Amino acid sequence: MIVVFKPDATPEQVEQILTKAAELGLKTNVSEGVERTIVGLIGPEDVLQVTPLAAFEGVEKVIPVLAPYRLVSREYQPEDSVVDINDHIRIGGSRLHVIAGPCSVEGEERLLEVAAKVKAAGATLLRGGAFKPRTSPYDFQGLGEEGLKILQKAGKEYQLATVSEVMDPRDVELMCGYVDVLQVGARNMQNFSLLKELGKVDKPVLLKRGISATIKEWLMSAEYILANGNFRVIFCERGIRTFETATRNTLDINAVSVVKQLSHLPVLVDPSHATGRWGLVAPAARASIAAGCDGLMIEVHQNPKAALSDGVQSLVPENFETLMRELQPLAHAVQREL
Ligand code: PEP
Ligand code: MN
């Protein structure tokens, strides 16, 4: 790390840091400029967490050299991570994977019908919320365990891996009994108790980006899961809140390549929540593949007008099928299969 002193820092104040560094077992490199002194500290940066050097008199700032999200970072692992799901789906490999299905599980018959259609169109994973994080407590909250049973049945019937959101650390065990991938929703990206719990399970975690989270905060949330022992984490960019109101969220397309540069973990994009309107899902999906994402999550409903949540952004199965066909040449153009 690098300690930058204020222009008026005294030699005694610099000496205090050098003494502290020696106590912490760090080597030092002092550079006395015309304007100010800078000290490079050489050794493990962990000591920064327990010794706030920025609190010492005369210090203007302390700049860490290593990323704070170390297990998640490319420095820790230069090659791409491939997250295995059920031993046959490899997220982050050469093939792009698409997770499709309704926002919420609404009933067995409806889900089985959608599952058959998204499978035929080329999706490899089936989504469906059973515990729904709704803005209003009066809106449909999901079918709970009953919804998980239906999702599991549909997944088995059509050989689709299943993805569903877990909102509460107390539900983690229950969810592990039914679904293949546990989704952390945008509203829970910084639910640290939940993240710690997910670090202990033997299931992949789909970590959506928080509504107003910076990329660094998002990476730090993933670090919680890895630091607790679970390395099977998949990022999902789902749009962020900006001043723009024409769309539900603003798809941060930069985030795909930024996260892929900073981290070895795979990155998916959810163009449904990122745009909030079904007519904008296809262009956002195309842009995401061009930007280098490892797959997509798309909401599909056979009757969006009657959907219990997110009908406005849901594709009908026919449009989903057309989109999947259109995405093929695009995937090939970026040396991926779909
Ligand atoms: C969802 O996937 O249905 C969902 C609620 O997404 P997000 O957490 O990204 O809003
Ligand atoms: Mn939704």
Side-chain angles (χ1 to χ4, degrees), residues 103 127 132 248 273 299 309-310 313:
C103 180
R127 63 153 289 148
K132 293 304 299 176
R248 182 177 180 183
H273 290 86
E299 287 186 338
S309 58
D310 287 349
Q313 66 196 32

Side-chain angles (χ1 to χ4, degrees), residues 61-82:
K61 59 183 168 186
V62 177
I63 306 167
V65 175
L66 293 178
Y69 38 85
R70 63 195 70 162
L71 300 175
V72 161
S73 75
R74 282 248 179 230
E75 285 152 14
Y76 178 79
Q77 186 187 303
E79 63 280 1
D80 285 345
S81 276
V82 175

Side-chain angles (χ1 to χ4, degrees), residues 27-337:
K27 293 200 182 106
T28 52
N29 182 298
V30 183
S31 155
E32 278 178 34
V34 185
E35 287 282 329
R36 58 174 93 222
T37 301
I38 289 172
V39 174
L41 302 180
I42 303 140
E45 296 205 341
D46 298 20
V47 293
L48 262 186
Q49 275 143 26
V50 283
T51 315
L53 295 179
F56 280 63
E57 275 117 29
V59 173
E60 185 168 290
K61 59 183 168 186
V62 177
I63 306 167
V65 175
L66 293 178
Y69 38 85
R70 63 195 70 162
L71 300 175
V72 161
S73 75
R74 282 248 179 230
E75 285 152 14
Y76 178 79
Q77 186 187 303
E79 63 280 1
D80 285 345
S81 276
V82 175
V83 173
D84 263 325
I85 302 169
N86 297 350
D87 297 326
H88 69 282
I89 294 172
R90 293 163 50 79
I91 310 268
S94 63
R95 174 160 186 206
L96 302 174
H97 285 274
V98 177
I99 305 170
C103 180
S104 307
V105 177
E106 300 176 354
E108 186 172 317
E109 212 178 306
R110 285 192 197 182
L111 190 67
L112 287 172
E113 185 190 341
V114 168
K117 292 190 169 160
V118 299
K119 170 79 181 189
T124 43
L125 299 102
L126 177 67
R127 63 153 289 148
F131 296 97
K132 293 304 299 176
R134 307 306 301 280
T135 302
S136 165
Y138 307 115
D139 287 341
F140 177 60
Q141 302 288 308
L143 296 180
E145 189 170 359
E146 184 53 31
L148 297 176
K149 287 183 182 161
I150 295 172
L151 181 67
Q152 186 183 47
K153 182 169 180 193
K156 284 217 168 92
E157 185 128 352
Y158 294 102
Q159 281 124 47
L160 290 159
T162 54
V163 187
S164 198
E165 175 166 354
V166 56
M167 294 207 298
D168 191 317
R170 291 167 296 188
D171 292 335
V172 170
E173 208 182 315
L174 173 84
M175 303 256 336
C176 283
Y178 291 108
V179 302
D180 301 313
V181 180
L182 300 178
Q183 173 176 329
V184 176
R187 290 154 195 83
N188 268 311
M189 188 205 84
Q190 285 190 316
N191 180 340
F192 300 116
S193 317
L194 178 63
L195 299 176
K196 282 184 200 166
E197 221 34 57
L198 292 171
K200 296 180 206 146
V201 304
D202 186 22
K203 292 270 177 185
V205 176
L206 182 77
L207 180 63
K208 296 190 99 177
R209 182 176 181 185
I211 291 171
S212 302
T214 64
I215 289 175
K216 187 173 168 190
E217 287 164 342
W218 191 18
L219 297 173
M220 290 306 293
S221 288
E223 188 76 17
Y224 263 90
I225 305 173
L226 271 69
N228 280 279
N230 186 357
F231 273 63
R232 288 198 287 165
V233 173
I234 305 157
F235 287 110
C236 182
E237 160 64 35
R238 45 79 72 204
I240 48 173
R241 181 167 288 177
T242 67
F243 55 81
E244 184 54 71
T245 53
T247 48
R248 182 177 180 183
N249 290 295
T250 297
L251 172 57
D252 182 6
I253 201 78
N254 292 341
V256 176
S257 29
V258 171
V259 173
K260 289 206 70 82
Q261 272 177 17
L262 296 175
S263 175
H264 52 88
L265 297 170
V267 183
L268 304 189
V269 175
D270 168 355
S272 307
H273 290 86
T275 60
R277 298 201 338 241
W278 71 266
L280 299 175
V281 169
R286 290 195 287 265
S288 304
I289 289 183
C293 73
D294 296 298
L296 299 164
M297 174 183 251
I298 298 177
E299 287 186 338
V300 180
H301 196 286
Q302 63 269 70
N303 184 6
K305 290 192 204 88
L308 297 180
S309 58
D310 287 349
V312 184
Q313 66 196 32
S314 298
L315 295 184
V316 291
E318 297 68 35
N319 287 343
F320 175 68
E321 204 235 301
T322 308
L323 173 61
M324 289 293 280
R325 235 178 309 113
E326 281 173 8
L327 292 176
Q328 298 251 352
L330 198 53
H332 294 152
V334 291
Q335 283 82 52
R336 308 290 286 262
E337 303 108 51

